[in-house]
Amino acid sequence: MRLPDLEAWAIFAAVVEHRSFSGAADAIGLSKATVSKAVGRLEAHLGQSLFHRTSRRLALTEAGRPLSEHAARIVAEARAAEEAARDSATAPAGRIRLAAPMAFGIANVAPLVADFLVAHPGIEIDLHLTDARTDIVAEGFDVALRIADLPDSSLRARRLCGIATHFVAAPSYLAVYGLPTHPGQLGEHRLIGYANVPGPWRFHGPDGSEVSVRPNGPLSANSGDAMLPTLIAGLGIARLPGFIVGPHLASGALVAILVDWTPQPVGLHLMTPPSPLRPARVEALIAFLADRLRDPCPPSLAA
């Protein structure tokens, strides 16, 4: 039985990561000719081209695109195996790339990162805050926190706790447009949508009925915080998590509506790449976050 050419797969992954043969050669300490030969060897074995090559541009072929994901996993698992062997003899150390939503990350993740770093002085955290959905594998993240009703995925997902969400509007909006008492009435209202989660709002009624409404209004934003000025100005209705709108509900700047209707449940999920092999430092962070963010949710998330 012929063994896989793991060196060629690793070199292919490096070319994809650095977007050039010369960049990959510099990064891994090989000559450009060696890198080119390894990719050619892999292409010959697979019987298909992996790259479109021109004098100015290098791009993956249709066949190369899915194979590049396999190559990245091969390299990641090999590194994880090596790091696991080293970590078994020493305290966890090294760098972890962690992604989290912006507002949630500032309020809830950053303080936990500080506590974790105090407990693990040998570990470094690269915290990436964004409300855009990150590609964990392609962007090289070890862990990502997501607030969503997750679809099926090849990623490994662990639900940590539920996130309270509210349909809210300003008193001034309701004074002008009226208070909706049934989700079916929302079609007559100005609805502010969250661009990162397209699709309809789904409601479950007290009698077990289900209603879907597609947001259509003056604003669509990829940040919950960015919706607040428009909401408070009385320009629409939005669905937002309690950790964003809680203070504004408490102050009366916003009020909750349709409180007898249950929105589609949303949870806080911890996501990792598909491989079950993880360095000890990543396992330590996962255990820490799962302990600090488990059900019942912290008060800041259940508002």
Side-chain angles (χ1 to χ4, degrees):
M1 180 182 71
R2 178 179 175 179
L3 293 175
D5 191 343
L6 296 178
E7 180 186 50
W9 280 103
I11 290 173
F12 170 47
V15 174
V16 174
E17 179 182 359
H18 296 282
R19 301 181 181 180
S20 74
F21 283 79
S22 57
D26 291 340
I28 60 181
L30 297 175
S31 69
K32 184 178 177 181
T34 299
V35 169
S36 181
K37 288 179 182 178
V39 172
R41 191 168 71 239
L42 185 59
E43 289 178 323
H45 175 64
L46 297 173
Q48 49 195 329
S49 297
L50 299 174
F51 294 104
H52 294 299
R53 301 170 177 84
T54 69
S55 58
R56 295 183 177 181
R57 189 167 178 265
L58 183 72
L60 286 164
T61 62
E62 286 298 316
R65 194 170 295 112
L67 290 174
S68 70
E69 297 177 3
H70 287 290
R73 292 192 188 105
I74 290 169
V75 174
E77 292 195 9
R79 286 174 176 162
E82 291 178 350
E83 291 176 0
R86 290 196 299 268
D87 290 342
S88 65
T90 61
R95 184 168 172 261
I96 302 173
R97 297 201 72 211
L98 170 64
M102 180 67 72
F104 174 79
I106 293 171
N108 297 281
V109 178
L112 296 183
V113 166
D115 292 344
F116 180 79
L117 292 175
V118 169
H120 299 277
I123 295 177
E124 302 171 1
I125 300 288
D126 177 5
L127 178 59
H128 183 81
L129 300 180
T130 177
D131 287 328
R133 177 167 292 186
T134 53
D135 186 327
I136 298 175
V137 174
E139 298 179 47
F141 285 102
D142 300 293
V143 180
L145 293 169
R146 286 184 183 164
I147 297 173
D149 176 28
L150 287 178
D152 291 338
S153 169
S154 62
L155 301 175
R156 296 166 68 88
R158 177 176 180 179
R159 188 180 187 278
L160 299 181
C161 65
I163 300 292
T165 60
H166 307 275
F167 292 93
V168 296
S172 60
Y173 174 88
L174 299 176
V176 174
Y177 294 96
L179 174 66
T181 58
H182 188 283
Q185 298 170 349
L186 291 177
E188 304 167 6
H189 284 265
R190 297 159 63 85
L191 308 182
I192 298 174
Y194 183 51
N196 287 332
V197 186
W201 295 346
R202 294 185 173 88
F203 300 80
H204 296 274
D207 59 354
S209 61
E210 297 185 11
V211 179
S212 296
V213 179
R214 187 169 294 276
N216 183 22
L219 175 68
S220 175
N222 65 354
S223 165
D225 285 313
M227 299 179 190
L228 287 173
T230 301
L231 278 172
I232 294 171
L235 300 177
I237 295 171
R239 180 191 182 187
L240 286 171
F243 63 83
I244 289 180
V245 298
H248 305 284
L249 291 173
S251 71
L254 297 173
V255 295
I257 64 172
L258 299 170
V259 294
D260 293 331
W261 290 78
T262 304
Q264 184 175 359
V266 173
L268 173 64
H269 296 82
L270 189 150
M271 313 288 294
T272 58
S275 172
L277 294 174
R278 291 190 287 255
R281 63 179 181 274
V282 175
E283 293 287 3
L285 178 62
I286 290 172
F288 181 86
L289 293 174
D291 178 66
R292 298 290 287 272
L293 294 171
R294 69 180 185 275
D295 274 324
C297 276
S300 61
L301 302 186

